[in-house]
Amino acid sequence: MPLTDSEVKSVIRSRWDISSQKYDTRDGHGIKSAEERDAWKRVLGEALARSGLDILDVGCGTGEMSLVLAEMGHNVQGVDLSEKMLSRAREKARASRLKVKFSIGDAERLKFDPGRFDALISRHVLWTLPHPDRAVEEWKRVVKVGGQVLAIDARWRDDSISGRSRRLASEVGMILLERQNPWKGWYSDDLNSALPHRYGLTSQEAKRYFEGSGLKDVSLTDLHDILKIQKIGMPFHRRISFNWTYYMVKGTKSE
């Protein structure tokens, strides 16, 4: 039998609880250099245009984007399904002496009043939702008229011949050189079957969700330059498969 929504969320929560301690060490998740942090600040600064905004970080994980936004002078709250992810986020905020409020929250059912925030951001969240259309509608609901919704995501898996070859080479490298299981931690078949974008979604798919929610002036930003920075220092066997279309989609609430 297919998993119920409640079961899906429970499995996802458990998966990210397990991943919480090593999440920031994984390629593309933790910010590993000042150059990358500065690049994120440039991208977000151009997208948001003002400082001092009230911003909700949905699916905030260990708080990487929350802390970047707080460093930029914004008032940030982060929500996530995983308490262990949030615990890491709170530790990092204390260490950085940044004031960010973190709490349990479901990206598809936010416990905030309509129009509560000036802007909302998510990073690497849309792909792991059973109902991304509902989520974007919720995100629109909690921002003010004139407020912005931003989502950073990618199509994580390239099933072309070249993509499959690169992925195989990377997996073999992880097994032989790192003595790691490259498939450990992947979602189960049951969970994958409940997710419409289990391998990520294209920028056009993400854009359609934004437009379908009624957000206006929907635009896309190519984040290839950040991807290039993230690849610096990676061993070849990891770098060879770290090759996807990385983007940010942005929309404005008009009414």
Side-chain angles (χ1 to χ4, degrees):
M1 288 182 61
L3 296 175
T4 65
D5 275 5
S6 177
E7 289 170 334
V8 167
K9 298 298 173 71
S10 179
V11 174
I12 289 174
R13 180 185 300 108
S14 176
R15 164 70 176 79
W16 294 111
D17 276 347
I18 293 168
S19 296
S20 60
Q21 293 305 309
K22 293 185 177 180
Y23 182 81
D24 286 339
T25 68
R26 294 181 176 173
D27 299 330
H29 293 309
I31 297 174
K32 298 180 180 179
S33 69
E35 183 179 7
E36 183 184 350
R37 185 170 295 274
D38 289 343
W40 280 117
K41 288 180 179 178
R42 285 194 298 273
V43 168
L44 296 174
E46 290 173 4
L48 296 168
R50 295 188 291 128
S51 62
L53 299 176
D54 290 329
I55 299 179
L56 180 64
D57 183 3
V58 174
C60 65
T62 63
E64 288 291 77
M65 289 293 100
S66 298
L67 299 180
V68 168
L69 289 163
E71 288 176 3
M72 295 170 65
H74 297 293
N75 307 307
V76 187
Q77 291 193 49
V79 296
D80 199 276
L81 274 180
S82 166
E83 180 56 46
K84 290 188 177 180
M85 282 284 201
L86 293 171
S87 178
R88 287 285 298 124
R90 294 184 188 106
E91 290 173 5
K92 289 158 60 176
R94 284 194 294 270
S96 302
R97 297 184 179 181
L98 292 169
K99 293 183 178 180
V100 181
K101 181 179 179 181
F102 294 105
S103 58
I104 289 288
D106 184 339
E108 296 181 350
R109 291 185 177 88
L110 297 171
K111 295 180 179 179
F112 297 100
D113 293 334
R116 168 65 180 81
F117 297 95
D118 297 308
L120 180 150
I121 188 171
S122 73
R123 185 180 72 140
H124 310 170
V125 173
L126 276 174
W127 74 272
T128 190
L129 297 175
H131 307 291
D133 51 346
R134 294 185 199 170
V136 177
E137 289 171 0
E138 266 292 88
W139 301 354
K140 176 190 172 189
R141 181 184 68 81
V142 301
V143 298
K144 299 172 182 175
V145 173
Q148 295 173 319
V149 177
L150 286 66
I152 296 158
D153 229 296
R155 169 69 183 179
W156 305 112
R157 177 162 160 165
D158 177 1
D159 283 324
S160 67
I161 293 174
S162 172
R164 292 198 300 270
S165 299
R166 288 170 178 268
R167 191 162 61 250
L168 176 62
S170 182
E171 291 165 351
V172 169
M174 289 180 68
I175 293 168
L176 297 179
L177 301 176
E178 301 181 27
R179 298 295 191 267
Q180 289 193 38
N181 178 356
W183 305 285
K184 184 178 180 181
W186 281 19
Y187 282 178
S188 68
D189 290 342
D190 283 346
L191 180 55
N192 276 335
S193 67
L195 305 178
H197 301 291
R198 56 190 178 274
Y199 300 128
L201 64 171
T202 68
S203 59
Q204 291 302 316
E205 288 172 324
K207 186 179 180 185
R208 283 196 289 273
Y209 284 125
F210 272 49
E211 291 172 339
S213 75
L215 289 166
K216 302 300 183 183
D217 301 323
V218 178
S219 63
L220 293 167
T221 300
D222 187 338
L223 299 180
H224 182 69
D225 287 346
I226 287 180
L227 198 71
K228 285 169 56 178
I229 294 169
Q230 291 173 339
K231 292 169 77 167
I232 295 172
M234 271 187 205
F236 177 75
H237 67 276
R238 285 184 174 271
R239 191 168 65 247
I240 193 173
S241 65
F242 199 80
N243 188 38
W244 41 69
T245 302
Y246 200 33
Y247 60 84
M248 178 174 68
V249 57
K250 179 180 76 170
T252 301
K253 180 175 178 178
S254 63
E255 58 182 24

